[in-house]
Amino acid sequence: MSGVAHIRMDEEESDVATSHRNLGNGHGQESALQLFVNAKKKINDIFRNIGQYVCEADKFVRDVSSSTDLVGIVSEENITVVKGFREKIDGITEVLSRDHMKVVFFGRTSNGKSTVINAMLRDKILPSGIGHTTHCFIQVEGSDSKEGCLLTEESDQPKSIKDIKQLASALSSVKLSQNSLIRILWPKDKCRLLREDVVLVDSPGIDVTPDLDTWIDKFCLDADVFVLVANAESTLMQTEKNFFHKVSSRLSQPNIFILQNRWDVSEMEEDIDQVKQQHIDRNTEFLSEELNVTDKKSAKDRLFFVSAREALASRLNCDKGIATPERVLLPGFQARLFEFANFEKEFELCISQSAVKTKFEQHTKRAHLINSEIRAVMEEAYTKSLSLQDEQLQVRKETSERLSQLDKQLNVLTNDVKLKIRNMVEDVERKVSAALNDEIRRLSLLIEEFERPFHPDPVHLNVYKKELHRFAEEQLCLNLVGRCTGPILRSVDNMQTHFADRLSEILPSESRQQLTNLMPKRDFEIAYRLDCRNLCAGFKEDIEFRFSLSPTALMQRFLGIKNYAYNILFQELNPLSPNPFRGNVAGDGNVPIRLTGDNDLLVSVLATFASLTSRSTLGAAVVVGLLAKTAGWRVIVVTGALYGGVYLYERLTWTSKARERAFKQQYVDYASSKLRLIIDLTSSNCSHQVQQELTSTFARLCHQADLTKTQLEAEIKEVDKSLSVIKEISSRAKTLRNKADFFDRELQGFVAQFLNYSGL
């Protein structure tokens, strides 16, 4: 080769290397792989938020199911469904965090699969060489560590990257089985593909084992792109076709790229254009007609003529900052390097779009379905909570109206009962007062019925009076009971029954039975409490003999001297004699009475006469003398005899029986006067007893009404409490429903941005 040609080739090589470096490193434009990276970040954020949302929904349905006030808002089926969604979202989120773009390289032995991967990684990581080199599957994925390592299925202990030649090489004596997988963890900062979440899988030659089905099931079902590395020195073989037929039967329209590797040998061949066209025809026919994964036009865009050896050598030298030696590359290598870079560009675009679709589309649909179903649950819960809220508001309204109506009816009934009790109390007071007046007027007849031995001796007389007190009180009370108690008790019973009937009209049916238990268990009794012993304790009897024609008696009878005047006069005549009328005058008999008016003159004359007759018998003799001189001695004697006979008669008839009659009469007069003083008190006391009985009965009956009111108030409080819970649940259900709408828009935005993506 001439020097000019050599210089031109160096310049072209430098330009190609620069362009290739830009394509390989993504400088000058945004990498197509960012579509998947951005989509993965977006979908993970969405699912993370949806996961929190499902947790909120799960807590919501559990809170609803645990509350007795919220029965029926969320069904048991929906509770189970939401709980299942939580588990599903957790599983999807875990899968999404591990999802990556997976590329599987297949081909016959020694077609250069490992070399293609090394060229794409810009480093000689995988073992390569002539013959059957790779014995097992090797997966290269990114790591945040600074140094590479490898992991095997048999152990989690990292191994040195240098052990790859022994474990994966078909020439090694310690190689793993063909179905084994070696994971190479390579630093992300050393390779853009790994940094962009791409995983590359190298495979053994498909012509060395018949166990293709196991390979596909184990390593290929989650692949996003398949790269068939073919040997440009031969045509597409049936072994390669069979493998992709099996892949196509398990995957729907797999993404397949075909690399016609070792195209650098074309520089040494004639009729290269016819050979290239033959490859194009056979490969496009295979993709479009046999596999039906694309049309013919698109199939041509999936076919590339490259030299992986040249690409790897060029990139290794470019990364070291030196030009590629001419002896390494054959003429026309620039076009092959551009073809390899073009393959990478198309491959990145395809894998990114394919991975977004295969990794995220189904998850997005499932998330949309879950979100829709949770929204339906929340919508149903919100609707039922509103309905339940309306029901509780109606219950509260009805209960409040019942309480208000009960208050009004109870106030009306209370006023009516007070009026009836007042009228009945007044009627009882009138009845008792009238009956007691009648009994006082009949007191003399009552006392006449008292039969006890009478003796004027003071000791016996005191016993007689005590028994008379007790007899009078008992008989008066019995007569009052006979005349008043019966009608009063009937009126009281009727009134109490009236109270119960009126209350039963305004109380609920379940409270009416309690009214019967609140009625008095014993008959009401009226105590009259006359207490004649203390009432007549001041009674002083006068059962001494009194001659009816004595001067004092005649003066009292004919001159009309009042008892109190006669009393004073009698005291003047006989100061030591007891006062027979003590206690019969108005006021206490021990209190002196002042006389006024016309009686003063009469008393003065009588007092003078009494003083004259009391000084000596001389005055009496003078009077008798004057009478004898006037009327004659016969008249005086006859009159005296008659007077003496009357005296003797009265004296002889003043027996113990007469004394008892006088005693009873005096007692009747005294007791009557005292009993009249307590008529108002006794009648008032009886009416008070009736009032107390009726009031206490009505209070006991009203206690049931108070219990009913308390129960209604408690029901209102419970309804208010339930309403508070329902309103909170309704608000939470509405919020969760709106969140579902928000996440639905988020998912739709994700679909529009990434799943409907048309290309970079």
Side-chain angles (χ1 to χ4, degrees):
M1 185 180 294
S2 65
V4 175
H6 181 75
I7 294 174
R8 185 169 60 251
M9 187 177 67
D10 289 341
E11 291 176 352
E12 291 176 353
E13 178 184 352
S14 177
D15 294 340
V16 169
T18 302
S19 301
H20 181 72
R21 187 184 302 112
N22 290 338
L23 288 171
N25 293 329
H27 297 160
Q29 65 175 351
E30 182 180 2
S31 171
L33 298 177
Q34 283 295 316
L35 176 68
F36 177 83
V37 175
N38 295 335
K40 182 177 180 180
K41 182 178 182 302
K42 181 68 173 179
I43 197 66
N44 272 284
D45 290 341
I46 292 176
F47 267 89
R48 191 179 302 109
N49 294 331
I50 291 179
Q52 296 176 356
Y53 170 63
V54 172
C55 290
E56 292 179 13
D58 181 53
K59 184 177 184 306
F60 170 81
V61 297
R62 285 189 286 107
D63 291 344
V64 170
S65 63
S66 63
S67 176
T68 56
D69 296 326
L70 305 172
V71 177
I73 289 184
V74 179
S75 64
E76 291 295 331
E77 181 182 357
N78 287 339
I79 294 174
T80 305
V81 168
V82 173
K83 183 179 180 180
F85 286 160
R86 183 175 180 179
E87 297 174 356
K88 289 180 180 179
I89 290 295
D90 290 342
I92 294 174
T93 302
E94 183 179 359
V95 170
L96 286 175
S97 64
R98 299 195 307 265
D99 275 341
H100 43 249
M101 293 176 282
K102 185 175 182 180
V103 185
V104 180
F105 292 81
F106 278 97
R108 287 181 295 139
T109 303
S110 296
N111 279 5
K113 299 184 294 297
S114 300
T115 305
V116 170
I117 295 175
N118 287 335
M120 296 177 68
L121 296 177
R122 308 180 70 82
D123 203 338
K124 196 169 184 180
I125 300 174
L126 303 182
S128 60
I130 301 175
H132 181 201
T133 305
T134 305
H135 181 71
C136 62
F137 282 84
I138 303 175
Q139 178 172 298
V140 183
E141 55 189 89
S143 172
D144 294 327
S145 62
K146 297 298 183 181
E147 298 294 333
C149 65
L150 62 85
L151 298 172
T152 62
E153 294 178 331
E154 291 78 9
S155 173
D156 294 334
Q157 187 68 28
K159 296 180 175 59
S160 172
I161 197 69
K162 296 179 181 180
D163 295 339
I164 188 68
K165 291 185 178 180
Q166 295 180 346
L167 297 176
S169 175
L171 303 177
S172 173
S173 60
V174 295
K175 60 182 179 293
L176 301 178
S177 65
Q178 291 181 343
N179 291 332
S180 299
L181 175 68
I182 296 177
R183 293 174 57 205
I184 295 179
L185 305 181
W186 194 251
K188 291 181 179 179
D189 56 359
K190 292 184 178 181
C191 179
R192 181 181 60 82
L193 289 177
L194 302 182
R195 191 163 53 247
E196 301 295 355
D197 218 3
V198 177
V199 172
L200 304 178
V201 179
D202 192 9
S203 65
I206 58 177
D207 54 343
V208 298
T209 179
D211 199 8
L212 295 180
D213 292 334
T214 303
W215 286 9
I216 294 171
D217 292 338
K218 188 174 182 179
F219 302 108
C220 303
L221 291 182
D222 60 340
D224 301 295
V225 170
F226 293 89
V227 178
L228 173 60
V229 181
N231 189 349
E233 297 179 70
S234 66
T235 186
L236 189 63
M237 306 297 292
Q238 191 61 39
T239 303
E240 297 164 328
K241 291 184 177 182
N242 290 338
F243 171 78
F244 282 105
H245 277 296
K246 291 180 178 292
V247 170
S248 180
S249 65
R250 287 169 170 77
L251 298 177
S252 177
Q253 292 185 333
N255 294 297
I256 301 175
F257 285 83
I258 299 178
L259 294 183
Q260 291 292 343
N261 194 23
R262 297 183 180 180
W263 191 242
D264 51 338
V265 299
S266 64
E267 295 294 331
M268 298 178 293
E269 299 293 336
E270 298 179 355
D271 302 325
I272 189 61
D273 293 334
Q274 290 83 352
V275 173
K276 184 175 184 179
Q277 186 61 42
Q278 183 186 47
H279 283 309
I280 293 174
D281 293 340
R282 290 181 61 83
N283 283 283
T284 54
E285 180 182 356
F286 171 67
L287 293 177
S288 61
E289 296 181 5
E290 292 189 38
L291 293 181
N292 293 318
V293 296
T294 183
D295 54 29
K296 286 189 176 182
K297 181 179 180 181
S298 300
K300 293 180 180 180
D301 297 331
R302 299 295 181 91
L303 177 62
F304 299 91
F305 295 85
V306 298
S307 172
R309 181 185 62 82
E310 289 180 339
L312 176 60
S314 175
R315 292 181 177 184
L316 289 175
N317 285 281
C318 287
D319 290 341
K320 293 178 182 179
I322 59 177
T324 301
E326 181 182 355
R327 66 181 180 274
V328 177
L329 304 180
L330 297 176
F333 74 90
Q334 298 95 336
R336 292 188 292 276
L337 291 180
F338 273 117
E339 186 80 355
F340 194 89
N342 189 40
F343 153 70
E344 288 182 312
K345 179 180 178 181
E346 295 297 327
F347 152 80
E348 289 180 6
L349 178 60
C350 179
I351 189 178
S352 181
Q353 292 179 340
S354 175
V356 168
K357 186 175 182 63
T358 57
K359 307 296 185 185
F360 304 145
E361 183 176 33
Q362 292 301 320
H363 294 327
T364 303
K365 290 179 179 179
R366 292 179 66 187
H368 180 74
L369 179 62
I370 291 173
N371 191 62
S372 298
E373 292 193 19
I374 292 181
R375 188 194 185 284
V377 172
M378 295 302 120
E379 179 66 29
E380 181 181 0
Y382 178 64
T383 303
K384 289 184 177 180
S385 66
L386 292 180
S387 177
L388 185 59
Q389 183 176 336
D390 292 338
E391 292 177 3
Q392 291 297 311
L393 287 173
Q394 183 64 27
V395 170
R396 191 189 191 285
K397 179 181 178 182
E398 293 175 356
T399 307
S400 298
E401 290 177 352
R402 287 170 56 195
L403 179 60
S404 177
Q405 187 68 18
L406 180 60
D407 278 332
K408 291 179 181 179
Q409 292 176 340
L410 196 58
N411 289 334
V412 172
L413 178 59
T414 302
N415 294 332
D416 181 59
V417 166
K418 287 181 179 179
L419 179 60
K420 289 183 180 297
I421 291 177
R422 183 167 63 250
N423 293 337
M424 187 171 182
V425 165
E426 293 175 355
D427 183 61
V428 169
E429 189 170 356
R430 287 193 299 269
K431 286 181 179 180
V432 174
S433 178
L436 188 54
N437 269 315
D438 290 343
E439 291 302 319
I440 291 173
R441 286 193 293 269
R442 298 176 61 254
L443 185 60
S444 60
L445 298 177
L446 182 67
I447 297 300
E448 286 297 328
E449 296 176 0
F450 181 70
E451 296 291 340
R452 294 291 186 277
F454 181 81
H455 195 280
D457 181 67
V459 176
H460 291 83
L461 196 60
N462 286 334
V463 175
Y464 184 87
K465 283 195 290 186
K466 289 180 181 179
E467 292 181 356
L468 182 60
H469 292 330
R470 186 169 57 253
F471 174 80
E473 182 175 350
E474 290 177 356
Q475 293 302 314
L476 284 172
C477 289
L478 286 175
N479 292 340
L480 289 175
V481 168
R483 297 184 61 178
C484 300
T485 301
I488 291 175
L489 291 182
R490 285 192 294 272
S491 299
V492 170
D493 290 341
N494 293 336
M495 187 66 72
Q496 290 174 341
T497 304
H498 175 71
F499 293 165
D501 292 341
R502 288 290 304 276
L503 271 175
S504 65
E505 294 175 358
I506 65 176
L507 292 181
S509 57
E510 60 271 13
S511 301
R512 293 173 185 172
Q513 182 60 34
Q514 301 297 327
L515 295 178
T516 305
N517 300 330
L518 294 174
M519 294 295 288
K521 300 299 182 183
R522 58 182 178 81
D523 293 335
F524 170 60
E525 297 179 358
I526 299 178
Y528 294 97
R529 300 186 183 93
L530 296 177
D531 197 8
C532 290
R533 181 177 179 180
N534 291 327
L535 190 64
C536 298
F539 169 69
K540 300 297 182 181
E541 72 283 352
D542 180 14
I543 55 174
E544 296 296 328
F545 174 72
R546 295 283 184 265
F547 182 45
S548 61
L549 297 180
S550 65
T552 55
L554 292 174
M555 291 173 63
Q556 178 187 10
R557 186 175 301 157
F558 294 108
L559 296 179
I561 302 176
K562 303 295 183 183
N563 287 338
Y564 55 80
Y566 176 77
N567 182 33
I568 298 221
L569 178 59
F570 185 79
Q571 291 294 333
E572 289 292 337
L573 295 176
N574 191 5
L576 299 178
S577 176
N579 185 357
F581 302 101
R582 182 168 300 164
N584 292 338
V585 296
D588 195 339
N590 296 325
V591 180
I593 304 297
R594 292 180 60 88
L595 300 177
T596 58
D598 297 336
N599 290 328
D600 292 343
L601 178 60
L602 178 59
V603 172
S604 177
V605 173
L606 293 175
T608 302
F609 174 76
S611 66
L612 290 176
T613 57
S614 63
R615 290 179 182 177
S616 65
T617 58
L618 179 61
V622 173
V623 172
V624 173
L626 291 175
L627 291 174
K629 186 176 179 180
T630 304
W633 287 103
R634 291 182 179 180
V635 175
I636 293 174
V637 171
V638 173
T639 303
L642 293 173
Y643 187 81
V646 174
Y647 176 81
L648 180 62
Y649 172 77
E650 290 186 1
R651 190 72 177 84
L652 292 175
T653 57
W654 186 249
T655 62
S656 179
K657 198 68 176 177
R659 290 179 180 178
E660 184 180 6
R661 285 195 299 271
F663 179 88
K664 287 184 177 180
Q665 185 60 44
Q666 292 174 18
Y667 182 82
V668 168
D669 294 339
Y670 186 84
S672 298
S673 64
K674 291 297 183 179
L675 287 171
R676 287 190 179 93
L677 296 177
I678 65 168
I679 290 176
D680 293 340
L681 179 62
T682 303
S683 60
S684 176
N685 180 45
C686 293
S687 63
H688 178 70
Q689 294 178 57
V690 172
Q691 181 181 11
Q692 188 175 10
E693 174 69 14
L694 293 176
T695 303
S696 62
T697 300
F698 185 68
R700 287 195 300 273
L701 295 175
C702 285
H703 178 66
Q704 185 61 39
D706 292 337
L707 291 178
T708 302
K709 288 174 58 178
T710 303
Q711 182 179 357
L712 291 176
E713 290 171 353
E715 290 178 5
I716 291 176
K717 289 182 180 179
E718 286 297 322
V719 171
D720 288 340
K721 181 180 177 181
S722 178
L723 276 172
S724 177
V725 174
I726 294 172
K727 288 180 179 178
E728 180 186 357
I729 290 298
S730 176
S731 177
R732 289 174 63 184
K734 183 178 180 180
T735 300
L736 291 173
R737 183 199 64 182
N738 293 340
K739 279 188 176 182
D741 294 336
F742 169 77
F743 288 126
D744 188 65
R745 291 191 294 271
E746 287 282 297
L747 291 170
Q748 290 177 359
F750 177 81
V751 171
Q753 182 178 359
F754 296 103
L755 296 183
N756 294 336
Y757 183 78
S758 59
L760 289 172

